[in-house]
Every structure is written in structure tokens, then in C-alpha cells.
Amino acid sequence: GKWHLGRSDVQHPFKRGFDTFYGLLDGCCNFFNPLQPDPPYKGNRVRTFGFDGELIKDPKHFEGDYYTTDAFTDHATAFIRFAHQHGDPFFLHVCYTAPHYPLHAKPKDIAKYKGKFMMGWDQMRKDRFARQKKMGLANDTWTLTGTDSKSYSWETSNKEFEDLRHAVYAAMIDSMDQNIGRLLQTLRATGEIDNTVIFFLSDNGGCSEEPGGRDPKKRNPGPGDDYVCVGPAWGWAQNAPFKRYKSWVHEGGITTPMIAWWPGRIKANTITRQPAHIIDFMPTVLELAGKDYPSKHNGEKILSVEGKSIVPILAGKKREPHQQLAWYWAGNRAVRHGDWKAVWDKAHKSWELYNIAKDRCEVNNLANAHAEKTQTMAKAWSVWAREMGLKVKP
């Protein structure tokens, strides 16, 4: 699937420990034809696609009923069968581009959802929050955040167009769900299902970007001949009940739920609110495999891994949390110490402070009430930024 970590010899998946690779060496692409150039408002870029060590440059590879979500699964299931036949333990990293823009989906999947989002984004947020509380995903201390500065009025929008945009988005998720089902079926068919731990998560919150605009006379969500996004109103609503979206480091931008599934090992139908981070996956997988992180490679010392294994969390135990987690993206900053989180929003250019344990949705800014703590955490973020080599203006 998606490998958005560079294309050079050093950055290629083959140089990062993977034995085989099929997919996108870019951030996004046309779902029906990854070699189709981006439209002018996205720079006319031709995206980079590869299979193992070779780049795919022949458009014939993507002829017929090609769709990236299906193709990624085709290669993933083939890999599972190959590993099973050879009796080898395996690590499979599947990165679907869905539901990243552009909004491309199959007509039969779009038809399932057309007309289902005419309630609009404000009502969708309320409905989702109510459902989250009923499911136990949100508790009684959570509060639905207010409107977003980049959102706009549902009543004055082109409702048919907005409904279609989100219907295509839902169809892309539906297709991904179908393909995850194919992965599970392959694990069952090979007898590997009970000996496989599965982690499912996304990389960030909903997206507010809108290249190309939202003029229905110019934009056509669904087919591969256009390049449409959901826009800021839907992007914000998708993160309910949190604040903001992708590129911001409020909870709506950086918090993603994770499903961990391992029959007989992880207790079913349980929820943990212990925070974890992407950096925790390396030590987790090493512990599950019974391996140690190497101290040297080709005779040179390796820096120690930053993450902390989440195996205790999977076993239903309490894990000693990270002393500090920090973030930076596109001018936005955040740092978390225990239950406290300080956030710098580039639009407001000031530090905010929240007690995440009591105020999960970042509704009550305590920066003035706890000015000293806010400054302490802001300084801690600056120290981290220097250690990471970030050149950030004060």
C-alpha cells in the first residue's frame, strides 16, 4: 500500500527491512489509475508506484477494473499464502490509501450511501457523539466541541453535492472494509487466524483540505476523472467529538482509535483509555516475536528505540506511560505530560492547556489558570524541538 516515507535507495521499503513491496511511494494517487497525472490545481504530478525494487511505469498495469484498495489486498493475501506455504512467521504492513482524497469509489458502493448524509455535518456530529456514548467509546466527562472556524453553513450549501461527497467517502471506507474481510478470510483459510495479532488504526484525523474547491459545476466526486475532497466541514465533523482535523495537533488531528485483535490473547469487547503512540509498535512487535532490538548494525551503534511496548496493555494490565509525547506539523505544536496537554494552534499563535483526563475534547482552556504549568510545558516542547533538529520560529 502507501509508503509515504521517501523514494531514494536509502528510504525504499527494501532498505527498511521489508522483503517485498507493492504500492504507492507517494502520499496519494488516482485510485483507478495511479499513473494518471494530478490535475493542474494539484501540480500535474505523476505519482510513483512500485513492485518490489522496480517502478511501475506502464499504464497497462492499471487497465480494466483496477482499484488500488483491491490491488493492495490482492498482493497482501498472496503474501500470506506464500508465508504460510513456507512455514515462516510473517509481518504484514497493509497501508490502504482509502479514504484519503481524491474521492474515488465504485458506483455500486456509492449507491449504498447516496442520500444518507442529508442531515448535514452539524447533525452528523451530534448523532455520532450519541452513538459513541452508547457504545462506551465516549464517557460522561466528554463534551461535544463547538463549531469550527473553517466549517460553513449546511443550510446555504449545495446539499446534493455535499451529500454525494460524503457518500463517496463512505463508499471508499466500505470498500476497505470488504478488503479487510478478504484478509481475514485468507488468514482463516491458511489456518493462521488464531496465531496472528492484528492492529487496525488510521494515521491521522479527518482532512479539511480542499484543492480544486467545491463548485458542483467543476467537481465530480466518485469517478477517476476528477480529484475531489470532502472539505473542511465534513473533515471536521468526521472527528466528532474532538476539535480540529488533520495537520492540527488538537485531538481531532492526532488522536486515532485502534482496534487490537488476537483470539484467546486479547479479551474481546474491552476498551482501554491508556494512551499509546506509533513509536510503540517496534518494541511491541519485537516483544511478541521474542526478539531484542539490536545495538549495532554493520558494526555501527544503533540509537535505542524510543517506543514502549504495549504488550501489557493488550494483556489488560496498566503500563507505565511515556513521560512525554510531543508533536509538530505545519506550524502546530503540542506536548503531553501525563494527563496534561499543551497545544499551540498556528491560527491563534498562543499556547493552550488542557487536562485530558477531565476534558478529553479540549473544551476548557486552562492556560491562564495554570500559567506556570503552561510555560513549563511550552519550554519542554522547545527542548524536544531542538533535539529533533526542528527550526521553528518562536
mmCIF file of all heavy atoms in Angstrom, residues 149 244 248 331-332 344-350:
data_model
loop_
_atom_site.group_PDB
_atom_site.id
_atom_site.type_symbol
_atom_site.label_atom_id
_atom_site.label_comp_id
_atom_site.label_asym_id
_atom_site.label_seq_id
_atom_site.Cartn_x
_atom_site.Cartn_y
_atom_site.Cartn_z
ATOM 1 N N SER A 149 -13.777 26.941 12.879
ATOM 2 C CA SER A 149 -13.615 28.196 12.138
ATOM 3 C C SER A 149 -13.610 27.999 10.626
ATOM 4 O O SER A 149 -13.936 28.921 9.871
ATOM 5 C CB SER A 149 -12.320 28.888 12.566
ATOM 6 O OG SER A 149 -11.192 28.045 12.324
ATOM 7 N N ARG A 244 -10.733 20.293 15.715
ATOM 8 C CA ARG A 244 -9.812 20.362 14.574
ATOM 9 C C ARG A 244 -9.762 19.063 13.753
ATOM 10 O O ARG A 244 -10.665 18.248 13.800
ATOM 11 C CB ARG A 244 -8.416 20.795 15.027
ATOM 12 C CG ARG A 244 -8.352 22.256 15.502
ATOM 13 C CD ARG A 244 -8.701 23.221 14.415
ATOM 14 N NE ARG A 244 -8.220 24.583 14.699
ATOM 15 C CZ ARG A 244 -8.453 25.618 13.908
ATOM 16 N NH1 ARG A 244 -9.168 25.454 12.811
ATOM 17 N NH2 ARG A 244 -7.995 26.815 14.213
ATOM 18 N N TRP A 248 -3.571 19.697 12.237
ATOM 19 C CA TRP A 248 -3.589 20.325 13.546
ATOM 20 C C TRP A 248 -3.277 19.263 14.593
ATOM 21 O O TRP A 248 -3.509 18.079 14.365
ATOM 22 C CB TRP A 248 -4.951 20.956 13.831
ATOM 23 C CG TRP A 248 -5.038 22.392 13.424
ATOM 24 C CD1 TRP A 248 -5.021 23.490 14.232
ATOM 25 C CD2 TRP A 248 -5.179 22.904 12.089
ATOM 26 N NE1 TRP A 248 -5.125 24.641 13.495
ATOM 27 C CE2 TRP A 248 -5.217 24.316 12.174
ATOM 28 C CE3 TRP A 248 -5.251 22.319 10.830
ATOM 29 C CZ2 TRP A 248 -5.335 25.138 11.059
ATOM 30 C CZ3 TRP A 248 -5.372 23.123 9.705
ATOM 31 C CH2 TRP A 248 -5.404 24.509 9.825
ATOM 32 N N GLY A 331 3.359 23.975 11.477
ATOM 33 C CA GLY A 331 3.267 25.133 12.359
ATOM 34 C C GLY A 331 2.524 24.895 13.648
ATOM 35 O O GLY A 331 2.541 25.737 14.557
ATOM 36 N N ASN A 332 1.859 23.760 13.784
ATOM 37 C CA ASN A 332 1.129 23.429 15.011
ATOM 38 C C ASN A 332 1.979 22.560 15.928
ATOM 39 O O ASN A 332 2.722 21.703 15.461
ATOM 40 C CB ASN A 332 -0.171 22.705 14.659
ATOM 41 C CG ASN A 332 -1.132 23.597 13.893
ATOM 42 O OD1 ASN A 332 -1.484 24.675 14.352
ATOM 43 N ND2 ASN A 332 -1.545 23.162 12.714
ATOM 44 N N TRP A 344 -0.243 24.458 20.774
ATOM 45 C CA TRP A 344 -0.052 25.727 20.085
ATOM 46 C C TRP A 344 -0.767 25.631 18.744
ATOM 47 O O TRP A 344 -0.416 24.816 17.901
ATOM 48 C CB TRP A 344 1.435 25.997 19.878
ATOM 49 C CG TRP A 344 1.754 27.186 19.007
ATOM 50 C CD1 TRP A 344 1.705 27.229 17.644
ATOM 51 C CD2 TRP A 344 2.178 28.484 19.428
ATOM 52 N NE1 TRP A 344 2.077 28.472 17.186
ATOM 53 C CE2 TRP A 344 2.372 29.270 18.259
ATOM 54 C CE3 TRP A 344 2.412 29.059 20.672
ATOM 55 C CZ2 TRP A 344 2.800 30.591 18.314
ATOM 56 C CZ3 TRP A 344 2.831 30.384 20.718
ATOM 57 C CH2 TRP A 344 3.018 31.125 19.562
ATOM 58 N N ASP A 345 -1.811 26.446 18.586
ATOM 59 C CA ASP A 345 -2.572 26.487 17.333
ATOM 60 C C ASP A 345 -2.024 27.628 16.493
ATOM 61 O O ASP A 345 -2.045 28.788 16.916
ATOM 62 C CB ASP A 345 -4.056 26.707 17.649
ATOM 63 C CG ASP A 345 -4.948 26.573 16.424
ATOM 64 O OD1 ASP A 345 -4.547 27.047 15.342
ATOM 65 O OD2 ASP A 345 -6.055 26.013 16.547
ATOM 66 N N LYS A 346 -1.548 27.336 15.288
ATOM 67 C CA LYS A 346 -0.915 28.367 14.465
ATOM 68 C C LYS A 346 -1.869 29.500 14.101
ATOM 69 O O LYS A 346 -1.447 30.605 13.775
ATOM 70 C CB LYS A 346 -0.341 27.745 13.196
ATOM 71 C CG LYS A 346 -1.363 27.173 12.230
ATOM 72 C CD LYS A 346 -0.688 26.594 11.006
ATOM 73 C CE LYS A 346 -1.698 26.004 10.019
ATOM 74 N NZ LYS A 346 -1.036 25.409 8.845
ATOM 75 N N ALA A 347 -3.176 29.228 14.152
ATOM 76 C CA ALA A 347 -4.147 30.269 13.839
ATOM 77 C C ALA A 347 -4.261 31.284 14.975
ATOM 78 O O ALA A 347 -4.520 32.466 14.749
ATOM 79 C CB ALA A 347 -5.512 29.641 13.555
ATOM 80 N N HIS A 348 -4.050 30.820 16.213
ATOM 81 C CA HIS A 348 -4.197 31.698 17.379
ATOM 82 C C HIS A 348 -2.860 32.192 17.920
ATOM 83 O O HIS A 348 -2.800 33.183 18.639
ATOM 84 C CB HIS A 348 -4.956 30.960 18.489
ATOM 85 C CG HIS A 348 -6.287 30.452 18.061
ATOM 86 N ND1 HIS A 348 -6.827 29.277 18.531
ATOM 87 C CD2 HIS A 348 -7.187 30.946 17.178
ATOM 88 C CE1 HIS A 348 -8.007 29.073 17.979
ATOM 89 N NE2 HIS A 348 -8.244 30.060 17.140
ATOM 90 N N LYS A 349 -1.802 31.448 17.595
ATOM 91 C CA LYS A 349 -0.434 31.807 17.988
ATOM 92 C C LYS A 349 -0.287 32.003 19.494
ATOM 93 O O LYS A 349 0.283 32.988 19.967
ATOM 94 C CB LYS A 349 0.029 33.056 17.230
ATOM 95 C CG LYS A 349 0.045 32.875 15.721
ATOM 96 C CD LYS A 349 0.744 34.013 15.039
ATOM 97 C CE LYS A 349 0.664 33.884 13.519
ATOM 98 N NZ LYS A 349 1.087 32.569 13.011
ATOM 99 N N SER A 350 -0.821 31.070 20.247
ATOM 100 C CA SER A 350 -0.643 31.081 21.700
ATOM 101 C C SER A 350 -0.815 29.661 22.215
ATOM 102 O O SER A 350 -1.463 28.827 21.583
ATOM 103 C CB SER A 350 -1.655 32.011 22.383
ATOM 104 O OG SER A 350 -2.974 31.572 22.135
#
